[in-house]
């Protein structure tokens, strides 16, 4: 396979951003409801919830789900006033 | 709009019998459907029947797993995470159903090559190739075939759960497989003297 420079950069940056301990996708799912509420209300994140942010920065699938979840909750909050 | 309930009331009503439970389920169903409809409405590949099916599946899951709700968020938020996960999983499965791991990773037995960066200066081009050759060597030396196949599939945009399905594994195991691969490559690059800043500046 041939990587375009931007793919090579993305792969290398992802590699260099690797931490010894990383949250799994299931652990992220378990904490993401609390995380999104903190984000929507602008409250500070605990260390545990900062791990969710770190996972979302690395995991495209979970980040995509978080985006949809946040959109849904924001729309509902808007509708319900 | 559903009857306002706190978490305790939601749990009590969803675990009740008869009319009380039916009303709570109807309210939760309405909440989830409104949320999913709003967040998926811009997508062309989703219709109302799909969303109703996903909400129904989510309700079945939620009612069977109420004991897993720890009360650290609103129950409705927790329920929405489940509905979103189910809907996204179904969409990914549909989107990727025609793509095989073999097709996506057909040349994965070979270490990757770097395409020419037309925008790079000659000096930067030399640095890019030196860094990339180190990466190629590390991929050959440090990664298992399984790690390289998973990494290639991920680079090709395949969702982890689809990689897992094709490997007969699960998302957590694939995430750990990829995490171990990234750790090995990172250690190798650091040993070769590269820092995160080097990577950023080389491909800037």
């Amino acid at each position: 396979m041939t990587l375009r420079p931007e793919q090579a950069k993305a792969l290398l940056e992802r590699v260099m951003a690797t931490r010894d301990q990383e949250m799994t996708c299931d652990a992220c799912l378990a904490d993401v409801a609390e995380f999104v509420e903190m984000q929507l209300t602008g409250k500070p994140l605990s260390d545990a919830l900062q791990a969710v942010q770190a996972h979302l920065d690395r995991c495209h699938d979970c980040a995509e789900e978080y985006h949809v979840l946040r959109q849904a909750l924001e729309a509902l909050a808007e509708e319900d006033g | 709009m559903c009857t306002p309930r706190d978490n305790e009331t939601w749990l009590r009503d969803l675990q009740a019998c008869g009319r009380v439970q039916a009303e709570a389920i109807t309210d939760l169903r309405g909440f989830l459907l409104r949320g999913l409809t709003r967040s998926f409405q811009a997508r062309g590949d989703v219709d109302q029947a799909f969303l109703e099916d996903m909400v129904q599946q989510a309700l079945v899951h939620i009612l069977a797993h109420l004991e897993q709700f720890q009360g650290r968020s609103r129950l409705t938020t927790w329920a929405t995470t489940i509905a979103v996960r189910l809907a996204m999983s179904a969409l990914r499965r549909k989107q990727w159903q025609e793509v095989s791991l073999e097709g996506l990773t057909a040349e994965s037995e070979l270490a990757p090559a770097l395409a020419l960066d037309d925008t790079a200066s000659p000096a930067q081009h030399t640095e890019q190739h030196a860094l990339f050759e180190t990466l190629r060597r590390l991929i050959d030396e440090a990664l298992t075939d399984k790690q390289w196949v998973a990494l290639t599939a991920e680079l090709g945009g395949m969702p982890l759960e689809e990689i897992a399905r094709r490997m007969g594994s699960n998302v957590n195991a694939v995430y750990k497989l990829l995490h171990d691969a990234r750790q090995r490559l990172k250690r190798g690059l650091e040993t070769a003297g590269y820092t995160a800043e080097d990577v950023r500046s080389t491909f800037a």
Side-chain angles (χ1 to χ4, degrees):
Chain A
M1 71 182 295
T2 301
L3 294 185
R4 296 188 304 276
E6 63 270 22
Q7 285 179 306
K9 184 186 180 193
L11 171 61
L12 284 161
E13 285 187 345
R14 199 169 153 75
V15 164
M16 296 310 281
T18 302
R19 297 181 183 187
D20 288 343
Q21 299 294 325
E22 291 184 5
M23 178 177 256
T24 63
C25 299
D26 279 354
C28 178
L29 181 66
D31 286 348
V32 77
E34 185 182 2
F35 176 82
V36 72
E37 286 185 357
M38 293 293 149
Q39 292 291 82
L40 289 174
T41 54
K43 290 182 181 164
L45 299 176
S46 63
D47 288 349
L49 292 182
Q50 282 176 16
V52 174
Q53 182 64 67
H55 181 84
L56 295 177
D57 290 342
R58 275 187 295 270
C59 180
H60 175 266
D61 297 0
C62 290
E64 190 178 42
E65 286 174 23
Y66 171 73
H67 180 66
V68 172
L69 170 68
R70 184 167 173 149
Q71 266 188 328
L73 296 174
E74 283 177 330
L76 288 167
E78 198 178 284
E79 274 183 20
D80 295 344
Chain B
M1 189 184 300
C2 62
T3 309
R5 293 178 176 87
D6 58 20
N7 285 345
E8 198 178 323
T9 312
W10 270 117
L11 284 172
R12 189 196 63 210
D13 291 355
L14 288 170
Q15 293 174 106
C17 299
R19 189 178 54 80
V20 172
Q21 186 192 39
E23 280 180 6
I25 291 172
T26 300
D27 286 348
L28 187 55
R29 181 181 182 286
F31 181 89
L32 294 175
L33 195 55
R34 280 196 300 133
L36 259 57
T37 300
R38 289 294 299 271
S39 57
F40 282 97
Q41 64 189 1
R43 295 180 67 124
D45 55 347
V46 170
D47 59 21
Q48 196 64 17
F50 170 81
L51 295 178
E52 287 181 12
D53 184 31
M54 291 303 107
V55 167
Q56 188 57 36
Q57 286 186 36
L59 285 170
V60 170
H61 182 95
I62 289 160
L63 291 172
H65 296 87
L66 277 176
E67 80 286 350
Q68 290 180 4
F69 175 61
Q70 297 173 1
R72 290 186 281 119
S73 66
R74 291 192 189 109
L75 185 135
T76 46
T77 305
W78 173 74
T80 308
T81 67
I82 293 167
V84 168
R85 165 63 60 94
L86 285 169
M88 294 302 294
S89 289
L91 287 172
R92 287 175 187 137
R93 199 158 46 242
K94 189 176 160 194
Q95 184 186 351
W96 288 87
Q97 63 187 354
E98 305 294 337
V99 183
S100 71
L101 205 54
E102 292 75 22
L104 201 63
T105 63
E107 298 169 51
S108 68
E109 68 275 11
L110 305 171
L114 179 64
L116 193 65
D117 182 355
D118 294 334
T119 63
S121 66
Q124 198 179 19
H125 204 249
T126 303
E127 286 174 10
Q128 287 180 358
H129 272 276
L131 173 55
F132 203 72
E133 283 308 309
T134 305
L135 180 68
R136 277 169 56 107
R137 177 179 58 77
L138 290 169
I139 286 170
D140 277 342
E141 292 174 2
L143 298 195
T144 65
D145 289 347
K146 201 172 176 182
Q147 283 176 320
W148 177 233
V149 167
L151 198 59
T152 307
E154 189 189 30
L155 280 172
M158 185 178 274
L160 296 196
E161 63 184 316
E162 293 305 307
I163 298 173
R165 196 189 316 283
R166 285 156 181 76
M167 285 185 156
S169 183
N170 61 62
V171 172
N172 279 344
V174 171
Y175 191 89
K176 284 177 180 166
L177 183 77
L178 288 166
H179 176 234
D180 183 52
R182 286 187 280 111
Q183 275 187 312
R184 291 180 189 198
L185 295 176
K186 183 184 181 185
R187 276 196 292 268
L189 286 167
E190 286 174 345
T191 302
Y194 287 105
T195 65
E197 182 49 39
D198 293 333
V199 169
R200 271 191 294 274
S201 60
T202 301
F203 282 92

